[in-house]
Amino acid sequence: QVQLVQSGAEVKKPGASVKVSCKASGYTFTSYYMHWVRQAPGQGLEWMGIINPSGGSTSYAQKFQGRVTMTRDTSTSTVYMELSSLRSEDTAVYYCARRNSQLEAAFDIWGQGTMVTVSS
Amino acid sequence: SYVLTQPPSVSVAPGQTARITCGGNNIGSKSVHWYQQKPGQAPVLVVYDDSDRPSGIPERFSGSNSGNTATLTISRVEAGDEADYYCQVWDSSSDHQEVFGGGTKLTVL
């Protein structure tokens, strides 16, 4: 079945970086763009950016430009999201979500989420 | 940047109809998607492109979009529908980014 499986929870100190992975299975990895979305505790959803697994091109939300890097490994059908210069406000659950152009670009499949805690 | 406005909460009795709104400037010209999120779980797509349902989503979930307001309608509400609901659009203006509403907590009384 189609699924996205993310890496486990992380605890980081302020100023550090974190890299979260998202492994896709059950479909052609290079045929669907992948988004990253985060959710701070008790808050709403916040879009971070998107990557084209086929060519590797990316587009980031203005808020995260300069701090976020999205990459992919086609040999393992995995996308990565790295966030640097972490601060306490980055404490959140980070989700990958597949963009489905056949559903008018809706986010049709989501990973289970990765909790990132930033604390000294 | 484009802003989507949702009511923080909506309450409805079981068996009744819940309507959750999503306001935005000329949102009727955009394609609106809706997600359901239960506590501790990832969001699930329940309506896409204003009014279409993905496979596996009950017909009780429907949507509409016109003018400055999009609406998610849940008919014959069940206890299991209690969740947070988010609307989402793609902002094709200078920002070129995805935008989520702030979310609405649906409480089944």
Side-chain angles (χ1 to χ4, degrees):
Chain A
Q1 72 282 24
V2 176
Q3 62 176 350
L4 302 174
V5 178
Q6 300 183 219
S7 50
E10 303 263 12
V11 179
K12 296 293 182 181
K13 293 192 181 303
S17 297
V18 68
K19 191 170 186 178
V20 180
S21 69
C22 168
K23 182 174 177 61
S25 62
Y27 71 95
T28 302
F29 175 67
T30 51
S31 295
Y32 296 82
Y33 286 54
M34 197 77 77
H35 294 278
W36 286 92
V37 176
R38 77 176 187 179
Q39 185 172 37
Q43 302 301 307
L45 303 172
E46 182 176 33
W47 182 74
M48 298 182 69
I50 187 172
I51 181 169
N52 178 356
S54 178
S57 61
T58 56
S59 178
Y60 303 138
Q62 203 164 13
K63 175 177 179 176
F64 299 102
Q65 284 183 4
R67 270 206 317 142
V68 70
T69 304
M70 297 177 187
T71 56
R72 94 292 190 212
D73 182 344
T74 56
S75 68
T76 59
S77 299
T78 302
V79 296
Y80 300 89
M81 187 284 301
E82 184 170 21
L83 189 63
S84 62
S85 303
L86 290 169
R87 35 208 187 231
S88 58
E89 310 90 88
D90 295 317
T91 294
V93 176
Y94 290 76
Y95 295 101
C96 57
R98 189 180 78 165
R99 176 188 185 274
N100 192 330
S101 59
Q102 296 174 328
L103 302 184
E104 293 299 321
F107 301 24
D108 71 332
I109 304 295
W110 294 66
Q112 83 275 21
T114 296
M115 182 70 212
V116 174
T117 303
V118 183
S119 173
S120 55
Chain B
S1 60
Y2 195 76
V3 176
L4 294 174
T5 302
Q6 298 183 235
S9 63
V10 167
S11 299
V12 65
Q16 299 303 302
T17 297
R19 294 179 179 83
I20 298 172
T21 59
C22 176
N25 184 34
N26 197 26
I27 196 174
S29 66
K30 301 180 182 297
S31 179
V32 180
H33 313 305
W34 290 91
Y35 304 87
Q36 176 194 68
Q37 186 180 33
K38 296 182 179 180
Q41 298 184 18
V44 172
L45 178 67
V46 292
V47 167
Y48 69 94
D49 194 20
D50 299 340
S51 59
D52 290 328
R53 280 185 312 278
S55 60
I57 300 301
E59 291 183 6
R60 300 185 297 104
F61 288 82
S62 62
S64 62
N65 185 18
S66 178
N68 293 319
T69 304
T71 303
L72 173 69
T73 301
I74 309 172
S75 304
R76 302 180 300 282
V77 166
E78 304 174 354
D81 298 331
E82 188 163 287
D84 294 324
Y85 292 84
Y86 295 89
C87 58
Q88 177 252 321
V89 301
W90 176 61
D91 177 22
S92 59
S93 67
S94 59
D95 286 348
H96 291 285
Q97 63 179 5
E98 308 288 347
V99 180
F100 288 96
T104 298
K105 168 67 177 178
L106 175 66
T107 299
V108 181
L109 301 171

